[in-house]
PDB file of all heavy atoms in Angstrom:
ATOM      1  N   GLN A 282      -4.811 -20.553  -3.031  1.00 98.00           N
ATOM      2  CA  GLN A 282      -5.102 -20.524  -1.561  1.00 98.00           C
ATOM      3  C   GLN A 282      -6.215 -19.546  -1.249  1.00 98.00           C
ATOM      4  O   GLN A 282      -7.040 -19.803  -0.364  1.00 98.00           O
ATOM      5  CB  GLN A 282      -3.813 -20.204  -0.783  1.00 98.00           C
ATOM      6  CG  GLN A 282      -2.895 -21.431  -0.693  1.00 98.00           C
ATOM      7  CD  GLN A 282      -1.494 -21.086  -0.256  1.00 98.00           C
ATOM      8  OE1 GLN A 282      -0.781 -20.319  -0.883  1.00 98.00           O
ATOM      9  NE2 GLN A 282      -1.041 -21.674   0.829  1.00 98.00           N
ATOM     10  N   VAL A 283      -6.205 -18.387  -1.963  1.00 97.00           N
ATOM     11  CA  VAL A 283      -7.296 -17.410  -1.749  1.00 97.00           C
ATOM     12  C   VAL A 283      -8.617 -18.030  -2.163  1.00 97.00           C
ATOM     13  O   VAL A 283      -9.603 -17.984  -1.422  1.00 97.00           O
ATOM     14  CB  VAL A 283      -7.035 -16.105  -2.522  1.00 97.00           C
ATOM     15  CG1 VAL A 283      -8.228 -15.184  -2.444  1.00 97.00           C
ATOM     16  CG2 VAL A 283      -5.794 -15.388  -1.996  1.00 97.00           C
ATOM     17  N   GLU A 284      -8.626 -18.682  -3.323  1.00 97.00           N
ATOM     18  CA  GLU A 284      -9.887 -19.272  -3.829  1.00 97.00           C
ATOM     19  C   GLU A 284     -10.370 -20.330  -2.826  1.00 97.00           C
ATOM     20  O   GLU A 284     -11.593 -20.438  -2.567  1.00 97.00           O
ATOM     21  CB  GLU A 284      -9.658 -19.905  -5.203  1.00 97.00           C
ATOM     22  CG  GLU A 284     -10.950 -20.401  -5.820  1.00 97.00           C
ATOM     23  CD  GLU A 284     -10.783 -20.946  -7.251  1.00 97.00           C
ATOM     24  OE1 GLU A 284      -9.646 -21.207  -7.676  1.00 97.00           O
ATOM     25  OE2 GLU A 284     -11.829 -21.127  -7.909  1.00 97.00           O
ATOM     26  N   ASP A 285      -9.436 -21.112  -2.294  1.00 97.00           N
ATOM     27  CA  ASP A 285      -9.813 -22.192  -1.380  1.00 97.00           C
ATOM     28  C   ASP A 285     -10.491 -21.691  -0.094  1.00 97.00           C
ATOM     29  O   ASP A 285     -11.142 -22.467   0.612  1.00 97.00           O
ATOM     30  CB  ASP A 285      -8.588 -23.030  -1.008  1.00 97.00           C
ATOM     31  CG  ASP A 285      -8.060 -23.883  -2.165  1.00 97.00           C
ATOM     32  OD1 ASP A 285      -8.811 -23.954  -3.180  1.00 97.00           O
ATOM     33  OD2 ASP A 285      -6.953 -24.403  -2.085  1.00 97.00           O
ATOM     34  N   THR A 286     -10.301 -20.408   0.223  1.00 96.00           N
ATOM     35  CA  THR A 286     -10.987 -19.865   1.420  1.00 96.00           C
ATOM     36  C   THR A 286     -12.484 -19.729   1.224  1.00 96.00           C
ATOM     37  O   THR A 286     -13.236 -19.519   2.186  1.00 96.00           O
ATOM     38  CB  THR A 286     -10.419 -18.452   1.835  1.00 96.00           C
ATOM     39  OG1 THR A 286     -10.742 -17.555   0.769  1.00 96.00           O
ATOM     40  CG2 THR A 286      -8.968 -18.470   2.069  1.00 96.00           C
ATOM     41  N   GLY A 287     -12.924 -19.803  -0.040  1.00 95.00           N
ATOM     42  CA  GLY A 287     -14.380 -19.636  -0.326  1.00 95.00           C
ATOM     43  C   GLY A 287     -14.772 -18.188  -0.560  1.00 95.00           C
ATOM     44  O   GLY A 287     -15.959 -17.884  -0.775  1.00 95.00           O
ATOM     45  N   THR A 288     -13.791 -17.294  -0.494  1.00 94.00           N
ATOM     46  CA  THR A 288     -14.095 -15.870  -0.805  1.00 94.00           C
ATOM     47  C   THR A 288     -14.599 -15.797  -2.261  1.00 94.00           C
ATOM     48  O   THR A 288     -13.988 -16.433  -3.127  1.00 94.00           O
ATOM     49  CB  THR A 288     -12.811 -15.014  -0.681  1.00 94.00           C
ATOM     50  OG1 THR A 288     -12.245 -15.253   0.580  1.00 94.00           O
ATOM     51  CG2 THR A 288     -13.111 -13.503  -0.865  1.00 94.00           C
ATOM     52  N   PRO A 289     -15.704 -15.058  -2.517  1.00 94.00           N
ATOM     53  CA  PRO A 289     -16.154 -14.939  -3.935  1.00 94.00           C
ATOM     54  C   PRO A 289     -14.984 -14.557  -4.829  1.00 94.00           C
ATOM     55  O   PRO A 289     -14.313 -13.557  -4.576  1.00 94.00           O
ATOM     56  CB  PRO A 289     -17.239 -13.889  -3.830  1.00 94.00           C
ATOM     57  CG  PRO A 289     -17.767 -14.016  -2.457  1.00 94.00           C
ATOM     58  CD  PRO A 289     -16.588 -14.363  -1.583  1.00 94.00           C
ATOM     59  N   TYR A 290     -14.802 -15.334  -5.855  1.00 95.00           N
ATOM     60  CA  TYR A 290     -13.544 -15.276  -6.627  1.00 95.00           C
ATOM     61  C   TYR A 290     -13.933 -15.415  -8.101  1.00 95.00           C
ATOM     62  O   TYR A 290     -14.540 -16.415  -8.498  1.00 95.00           O
ATOM     63  CB  TYR A 290     -12.730 -16.471  -6.150  1.00 95.00           C
ATOM     64  CG  TYR A 290     -11.369 -16.712  -6.744  1.00 95.00           C
ATOM     65  CD1 TYR A 290     -10.235 -16.265  -6.098  1.00 95.00           C
ATOM     66  CD2 TYR A 290     -11.204 -17.393  -7.949  1.00 95.00           C
ATOM     67  CE1 TYR A 290      -8.978 -16.550  -6.594  1.00 95.00           C
ATOM     68  CE2 TYR A 290      -9.970 -17.667  -8.475  1.00 95.00           C
ATOM     69  CZ  TYR A 290      -8.853 -17.229  -7.768  1.00 95.00           C
ATOM     70  OH  TYR A 290      -7.623 -17.451  -8.310  1.00 95.00           O
ATOM     71  N   THR A 291     -13.616 -14.389  -8.898  1.00 96.00           N
ATOM     72  CA  THR A 291     -13.963 -14.441 -10.305  1.00 96.00           C
ATOM     73  C   THR A 291     -12.724 -14.238 -11.180  1.00 96.00           C
ATOM     74  O   THR A 291     -11.947 -13.349 -10.945  1.00 96.00           O
ATOM     75  CB  THR A 291     -14.899 -13.219 -10.676  1.00 96.00           C
ATOM     76  OG1 THR A 291     -15.753 -12.961  -9.594  1.00 96.00           O
ATOM     77  CG2 THR A 291     -15.681 -13.461 -11.931  1.00 96.00           C
ATOM     78  N   GLU A 292     -12.589 -15.116 -12.155  1.00 97.00           N
ATOM     79  CA  GLU A 292     -11.459 -14.934 -13.122  1.00 97.00           C
ATOM     80  C   GLU A 292     -12.043 -14.241 -14.344  1.00 97.00           C
ATOM     81  O   GLU A 292     -13.030 -14.719 -14.920  1.00 97.00           O
ATOM     82  CB  GLU A 292     -10.864 -16.268 -13.501  1.00 97.00           C
ATOM     83  CG  GLU A 292     -10.154 -16.903 -12.303  1.00 97.00           C
ATOM     84  CD  GLU A 292      -9.492 -18.239 -12.638  1.00 97.00           C
ATOM     85  OE1 GLU A 292      -9.028 -18.402 -13.808  1.00 97.00           O
ATOM     86  OE2 GLU A 292      -9.476 -19.128 -11.745  1.00 97.00           O
ATOM     87  N   VAL A 293     -11.394 -13.164 -14.754  1.00 98.00           N
ATOM     88  CA  VAL A 293     -11.882 -12.389 -15.913  1.00 98.00           C
ATOM     89  C   VAL A 293     -10.703 -12.163 -16.890  1.00 98.00           C
ATOM     90  O   VAL A 293      -9.543 -12.274 -16.495  1.00 98.00           O
ATOM     91  CB  VAL A 293     -12.484 -11.025 -15.530  1.00 98.00           C
ATOM     92  CG1 VAL A 293     -13.634 -11.210 -14.518  1.00 98.00           C
ATOM     93  CG2 VAL A 293     -11.416 -10.081 -14.967  1.00 98.00           C
ATOM     94  N   GLY A 294     -11.051 -11.848 -18.156  1.00 97.00           N
ATOM     95  CA  GLY A 294     -10.036 -11.571 -19.163  1.00 97.00           C
ATOM     96  C   GLY A 294     -10.126 -10.090 -19.539  1.00 97.00           C
ATOM     97  O   GLY A 294     -10.881  -9.266 -18.976  1.00 97.00           O
ATOM     98  N   ALA A 295      -9.413  -9.766 -20.641  1.00 97.00           N
ATOM     99  CA  ALA A 295      -9.354  -8.373 -21.104  1.00 97.00           C
ATOM    100  C   ALA A 295     -10.745  -7.839 -21.416  1.00 97.00           C
ATOM    101  O   ALA A 295     -11.036  -6.632 -21.206  1.00 97.00           O
ATOM    102  CB  ALA A 295      -8.453  -8.271 -22.325  1.00 97.00           C
ATOM    103  N   GLU A 296     -11.646  -8.695 -21.874  1.00 98.00           N
ATOM    104  CA  GLU A 296     -12.995  -8.246 -22.294  1.00 98.00           C
ATOM    105  C   GLU A 296     -13.750  -7.599 -21.122  1.00 98.00           C
ATOM    106  O   GLU A 296     -14.618  -6.748 -21.336  1.00 98.00           O
ATOM    107  CB  GLU A 296     -13.817  -9.376 -22.943  1.00 98.00           C
ATOM    108  CG  GLU A 296     -14.225 -10.536 -22.045  1.00 98.00           C
ATOM    109  CD  GLU A 296     -13.053 -11.421 -21.552  1.00 98.00           C
ATOM    110  OE1 GLU A 296     -11.969 -11.395 -22.157  1.00 98.00           O
ATOM    111  OE2 GLU A 296     -13.255 -12.172 -20.558  1.00 98.00           O
ATOM    112  N   PHE A 297     -13.433  -7.993 -19.880  1.00 98.00           N
ATOM    113  CA  PHE A 297     -14.076  -7.419 -18.690  1.00 98.00           C
ATOM    114  C   PHE A 297     -13.920  -5.881 -18.673  1.00 98.00           C
ATOM    115  O   PHE A 297     -14.793  -5.181 -18.198  1.00 98.00           O
ATOM    116  CB  PHE A 297     -13.426  -8.038 -17.449  1.00 98.00           C
ATOM    117  CG  PHE A 297     -13.921  -7.540 -16.107  1.00 98.00           C
ATOM    118  CD1 PHE A 297     -15.071  -8.090 -15.571  1.00 98.00           C
ATOM    119  CD2 PHE A 297     -13.250  -6.537 -15.417  1.00 98.00           C
ATOM    120  CE1 PHE A 297     -15.514  -7.672 -14.284  1.00 98.00           C
ATOM    121  CE2 PHE A 297     -13.724  -6.101 -14.191  1.00 98.00           C
ATOM    122  CZ  PHE A 297     -14.858  -6.648 -13.613  1.00 98.00           C
ATOM    123  N   PHE A 298     -12.793  -5.427 -19.224  1.00 98.00           N
ATOM    124  CA  PHE A 298     -12.448  -3.982 -19.133  1.00 98.00           C
ATOM    125  C   PHE A 298     -12.875  -3.213 -20.392  1.00 98.00           C
ATOM    126  O   PHE A 298     -12.575  -2.028 -20.527  1.00 98.00           O
ATOM    127  CB  PHE A 298     -10.936  -3.807 -18.887  1.00 98.00           C
ATOM    128  CG  PHE A 298     -10.466  -4.377 -17.599  1.00 98.00           C
ATOM    129  CD1 PHE A 298      -9.927  -5.654 -17.518  1.00 98.00           C
ATOM    130  CD2 PHE A 298     -10.646  -3.663 -16.413  1.00 98.00           C
ATOM    131  CE1 PHE A 298      -9.519  -6.195 -16.307  1.00 98.00           C
ATOM    132  CE2 PHE A 298     -10.221  -4.218 -15.188  1.00 98.00           C
ATOM    133  CZ  PHE A 298      -9.686  -5.476 -15.135  1.00 98.00           C
ATOM    134  N   GLY A 299     -13.615  -3.895 -21.299  1.00 97.00           N
ATOM    135  CA  GLY A 299     -14.147  -3.212 -22.495  1.00 97.00           C
ATOM    136  C   GLY A 299     -13.009  -2.586 -23.305  1.00 97.00           C
ATOM    137  O   GLY A 299     -12.002  -3.214 -23.576  1.00 97.00           O
ATOM    138  N   ASP A 300     -13.213  -1.291 -23.639  1.00 98.00           N
ATOM    139  CA  ASP A 300     -12.201  -0.636 -24.511  1.00 98.00           C
ATOM    140  C   ASP A 300     -11.106   0.062 -23.688  1.00 98.00           C
ATOM    141  O   ASP A 300     -10.309   0.825 -24.249  1.00 98.00           O
ATOM    142  CB  ASP A 300     -12.857   0.340 -25.517  1.00 98.00           C
ATOM    143  CG  ASP A 300     -13.459   1.538 -24.741  1.00 98.00           C
ATOM    144  OD1 ASP A 300     -13.478   1.541 -23.494  1.00 98.00           O
ATOM    145  OD2 ASP A 300     -13.891   2.478 -25.459  1.00 98.00           O
ATOM    146  N   VAL A 301     -11.074  -0.205 -22.360  1.00 98.00           N
ATOM    147  CA  VAL A 301     -10.080   0.498 -21.524  1.00 98.00           C
ATOM    148  C   VAL A 301      -8.649   0.158 -21.977  1.00 98.00           C
ATOM    149  O   VAL A 301      -7.839   1.082 -22.096  1.00 98.00           O
ATOM    150  CB  VAL A 301     -10.334   0.151 -20.035  1.00 98.00           C
ATOM    151  CG1 VAL A 301      -9.169   0.627 -19.138  1.00 98.00           C
ATOM    152  CG2 VAL A 301     -11.620   0.831 -19.598  1.00 98.00           C
ATOM    153  N   PRO A 302      -8.302  -1.116 -22.230  1.00 98.00           N
ATOM    154  CA  PRO A 302      -6.929  -1.399 -22.673  1.00 98.00           C
ATOM    155  C   PRO A 302      -6.558  -0.590 -23.955  1.00 98.00           C
ATOM    156  O   PRO A 302      -5.453  -0.040 -24.066  1.00 98.00           O
ATOM    157  CB  PRO A 302      -6.918  -2.881 -22.950  1.00 98.00           C
ATOM    158  CG  PRO A 302      -7.939  -3.410 -21.990  1.00 98.00           C
ATOM    159  CD  PRO A 302      -9.042  -2.387 -22.003  1.00 98.00           C
ATOM    160  N   ALA A 303      -7.515  -0.512 -24.895  1.00 98.00           N
ATOM    161  CA  ALA A 303      -7.221   0.280 -26.126  1.00 98.00           C
ATOM    162  C   ALA A 303      -7.059   1.752 -25.827  1.00 98.00           C
ATOM    163  O   ALA A 303      -6.175   2.424 -26.356  1.00 98.00           O
ATOM    164  CB  ALA A 303      -8.322   0.052 -27.148  1.00 98.00           C
ATOM    165  N   GLN A 304      -7.927   2.254 -24.941  1.00 98.00           N
ATOM    166  CA  GLN A 304      -7.788   3.688 -24.521  1.00 98.00           C
ATOM    167  C   GLN A 304      -6.443   3.930 -23.879  1.00 98.00           C
ATOM    168  O   GLN A 304      -5.781   4.917 -24.124  1.00 98.00           O
ATOM    169  CB  GLN A 304      -8.857   4.070 -23.516  1.00 98.00           C
ATOM    170  CG  GLN A 304     -10.265   4.291 -24.082  1.00 98.00           C
ATOM    171  CD  GLN A 304     -11.143   4.870 -22.943  1.00 98.00           C
ATOM    172  OE1 GLN A 304     -10.796   5.791 -22.268  1.00 98.00           O
ATOM    173  NE2 GLN A 304     -12.269   4.209 -22.776  1.00 98.00           N
ATOM    174  N   TRP A 305      -6.037   2.955 -23.055  1.00 98.00           N
ATOM    175  CA  TRP A 305      -4.718   3.102 -22.375  1.00 98.00           C
ATOM    176  C   TRP A 305      -3.589   3.149 -23.388  1.00 98.00           C
ATOM    177  O   TRP A 305      -2.695   3.996 -23.292  1.00 98.00           O
ATOM    178  CB  TRP A 305      -4.527   1.944 -21.415  1.00 98.00           C
ATOM    179  CG  TRP A 305      -3.359   2.127 -20.500  1.00 98.00           C
ATOM    180  CD1 TRP A 305      -3.386   2.584 -19.221  1.00 98.00           C
ATOM    181  CD2 TRP A 305      -1.967   1.831 -20.804  1.00 98.00           C
ATOM    182  NE1 TRP A 305      -2.088   2.610 -18.712  1.00 98.00           N
ATOM    183  CE2 TRP A 305      -1.216   2.190 -19.648  1.00 98.00           C
ATOM    184  CE3 TRP A 305      -1.286   1.349 -21.929  1.00 98.00           C
ATOM    185  CZ2 TRP A 305       0.184   2.040 -19.578  1.00 98.00           C
ATOM    186  CZ3 TRP A 305       0.102   1.205 -21.872  1.00 98.00           C
ATOM    187  CH2 TRP A 305       0.822   1.528 -20.730  1.00 98.00           C
ATOM    188  N   ASP A 306      -3.660   2.256 -24.376  1.00 98.00           N
ATOM    189  CA  ASP A 306      -2.586   2.251 -25.412  1.00 98.00           C
ATOM    190  C   ASP A 306      -2.557   3.570 -26.174  1.00 98.00           C
ATOM    191  O   ASP A 306      -1.478   4.087 -26.494  1.00 98.00           O
ATOM    192  CB  ASP A 306      -2.804   1.117 -26.382  1.00 98.00           C
ATOM    193  CG  ASP A 306      -2.120  -0.189 -25.933  1.00 98.00           C
ATOM    194  OD1 ASP A 306      -2.038  -0.419 -24.702  1.00 98.00           O
ATOM    195  OD2 ASP A 306      -1.599  -0.932 -26.800  1.00 98.00           O
ATOM    196  N   ALA A 307      -3.727   4.137 -26.397  1.00 98.00           N
ATOM    197  CA  ALA A 307      -3.756   5.435 -27.128  1.00 98.00           C
ATOM    198  C   ALA A 307      -3.098   6.523 -26.292  1.00 98.00           C
ATOM    199  O   ALA A 307      -2.295   7.309 -26.827  1.00 98.00           O
ATOM    200  CB  ALA A 307      -5.219   5.811 -27.463  1.00 98.00           C
ATOM    201  N   ILE A 308      -3.346   6.534 -24.987  1.00 98.00           N
ATOM    202  CA  ILE A 308      -2.753   7.538 -24.132  1.00 98.00           C
ATOM    203  C   ILE A 308      -1.216   7.329 -24.047  1.00 98.00           C
ATOM    204  O   ILE A 308      -0.429   8.230 -24.180  1.00 98.00           O
ATOM    205  CB  ILE A 308      -3.349   7.468 -22.686  1.00 98.00           C
ATOM    206  CG1 ILE A 308      -4.840   7.781 -22.710  1.00 98.00           C
ATOM    207  CG2 ILE A 308      -2.611   8.399 -21.706  1.00 98.00           C
ATOM    208  CD1 ILE A 308      -5.568   7.437 -21.412  1.00 98.00           C
ATOM    209  N   TRP A 309      -0.845   6.064 -23.828  1.00 98.00           N
ATOM    210  CA  TRP A 309       0.578   5.785 -23.554  1.00 98.00           C
ATOM    211  C   TRP A 309       1.451   5.686 -24.789  1.00 98.00           C
ATOM    212  O   TRP A 309       2.669   5.746 -24.676  1.00 98.00           O
ATOM    213  CB  TRP A 309       0.710   4.571 -22.644  1.00 98.00           C
ATOM    214  CG  TRP A 309       0.546   5.065 -21.218  1.00 98.00           C
ATOM    215  CD1 TRP A 309      -0.625   5.287 -20.557  1.00 98.00           C
ATOM    216  CD2 TRP A 309       1.584   5.595 -20.358  1.00 98.00           C
ATOM    217  NE1 TRP A 309      -0.396   5.866 -19.336  1.00 98.00           N
ATOM    218  CE2 TRP A 309       0.945   6.062 -19.204  1.00 98.00           C
ATOM    219  CE3 TRP A 309       2.965   5.712 -20.480  1.00 98.00           C
ATOM    220  CZ2 TRP A 309       1.682   6.637 -18.150  1.00 98.00           C
ATOM    221  CZ3 TRP A 309       3.690   6.268 -19.414  1.00 98.00           C
ATOM    222  CH2 TRP A 309       3.029   6.738 -18.280  1.00 98.00           C
ATOM    223  N   SER A 310       0.828   5.606 -25.972  1.00 97.00           N
ATOM    224  CA  SER A 310       1.674   5.678 -27.168  1.00 97.00           C
ATOM    225  C   SER A 310       2.229   7.092 -27.316  1.00 97.00           C
ATOM    226  O   SER A 310       3.263   7.319 -27.918  1.00 97.00           O
ATOM    227  CB  SER A 310       0.901   5.241 -28.401  1.00 97.00           C
ATOM    228  OG  SER A 310      -0.209   6.064 -28.578  1.00 97.00           O
ATOM    229  N   GLU A 311       1.553   8.090 -26.662  1.00 97.00           N
ATOM    230  CA  GLU A 311       2.076   9.470 -26.647  1.00 97.00           C
ATOM    231  C   GLU A 311       3.095   9.613 -25.557  1.00 97.00           C
ATOM    232  O   GLU A 311       4.039  10.386 -25.671  1.00 97.00           O
ATOM    233  CB  GLU A 311       0.936  10.459 -26.376  1.00 97.00           C
ATOM    234  CG  GLU A 311      -0.242  10.385 -27.298  1.00 97.00           C
ATOM    235  CD  GLU A 311       0.103  11.073 -28.622  1.00 97.00           C
ATOM    236  OE1 GLU A 311       0.723  12.146 -28.582  1.00 97.00           O
ATOM    237  OE2 GLU A 311      -0.247  10.508 -29.690  1.00 97.00           O
ATOM    238  N   LYS A 312       2.907   8.908 -24.414  1.00 97.00           N
ATOM    239  CA  LYS A 312       3.747   9.172 -23.247  1.00 97.00           C
ATOM    240  C   LYS A 312       5.025   8.347 -23.213  1.00 97.00           C
ATOM    241  O   LYS A 312       6.053   8.759 -22.633  1.00 97.00           O
ATOM    242  CB  LYS A 312       2.987   8.882 -21.955  1.00 97.00           C
ATOM    243  CG  LYS A 312       1.809   9.803 -21.677  1.00 97.00           C
ATOM    244  CD  LYS A 312       1.262   9.571 -20.238  1.00 97.00           C
ATOM    245  CE  LYS A 312       0.038  10.387 -19.928  1.00 97.00           C
ATOM    246  NZ  LYS A 312      -0.434  10.159 -18.573  1.00 97.00           N
ATOM    247  N   SER A 313       4.990   7.151 -23.798  1.00 97.00           N
ATOM    248  CA  SER A 313       6.178   6.263 -23.768  1.00 97.00           C
ATOM    249  C   SER A 313       6.594   5.983 -25.204  1.00 97.00           C
ATOM    250  O   SER A 313       5.816   5.451 -25.987  1.00 97.00           O
ATOM    251  CB  SER A 313       5.857   4.942 -23.058  1.00 97.00           C
ATOM    252  OG  SER A 313       6.929   4.027 -23.233  1.00 97.00           O
ATOM    253  N   SER A 314       7.865   6.282 -25.520  1.00 97.00           N
ATOM    254  CA  SER A 314       8.332   6.136 -26.907  1.00 97.00           C
ATOM    255  C   SER A 314       8.583   4.634 -27.241  1.00 97.00           C
ATOM    256  O   SER A 314       8.819   4.320 -28.372  1.00 97.00           O
ATOM    257  CB  SER A 314       9.604   6.913 -27.127  1.00 97.00           C
ATOM    258  OG  SER A 314      10.651   6.381 -26.336  1.00 97.00           O
ATOM    259  N   VAL A 315       8.498   3.749 -26.231  1.00 98.00           N
ATOM    260  CA  VAL A 315       8.816   2.330 -26.525  1.00 98.00           C
ATOM    261  C   VAL A 315       7.598   1.423 -26.417  1.00 98.00           C
ATOM    262  O   VAL A 315       7.787   0.199 -26.398  1.00 98.00           O
ATOM    263  CB  VAL A 315       9.952   1.842 -25.578  1.00 98.00           C
ATOM    264  CG1 VAL A 315      11.254   2.604 -25.813  1.00 98.00           C
ATOM    265  CG2 VAL A 315       9.552   1.895 -24.125  1.00 98.00           C
ATOM    266  N   LEU A 316       6.412   2.005 -26.356  1.00 98.00           N
ATOM    267  CA  LEU A 316       5.233   1.121 -26.173  1.00 98.00           C
ATOM    268  C   LEU A 316       5.107   0.065 -27.338  1.00 98.00           C
ATOM    269  O   LEU A 316       4.902  -1.128 -27.065  1.00 98.00           O
ATOM    270  CB  LEU A 316       3.925   1.955 -26.092  1.00 98.00           C
ATOM    271  CG  LEU A 316       2.655   1.126 -25.901  1.00 98.00           C
ATOM    272  CD1 LEU A 316       2.717   0.227 -24.672  1.00 98.00           C
ATOM    273  CD2 LEU A 316       1.432   2.023 -25.828  1.00 98.00           C
ATOM    274  N   GLY A 317       5.274   0.522 -28.580  1.00 98.00           N
ATOM    275  CA  GLY A 317       5.226  -0.444 -29.713  1.00 98.00           C
ATOM    276  C   GLY A 317       6.260  -1.499 -29.590  1.00 98.00           C
ATOM    277  O   GLY A 317       5.997  -2.709 -29.780  1.00 98.00           O
TER     278      GLY A 317
END
Side-chain angles (χ1 to χ4, degrees):
Q282 281 164 304
V283 173
E284 187 177 14
D285 290 348
T286 63
T288 307
Y290 181 98
T291 324
E292 291 182 34
V293 303
E296 67 292 342
F297 178 84
F298 297 97
D300 67 353
V301 169
Q304 283 188 51
W305 190 96
D306 270 34
I308 297 168
W309 276 84
S310 59
E311 304 282 319
K312 293 190 184 181
S313 170
S314 66
V315 298
L316 179 58

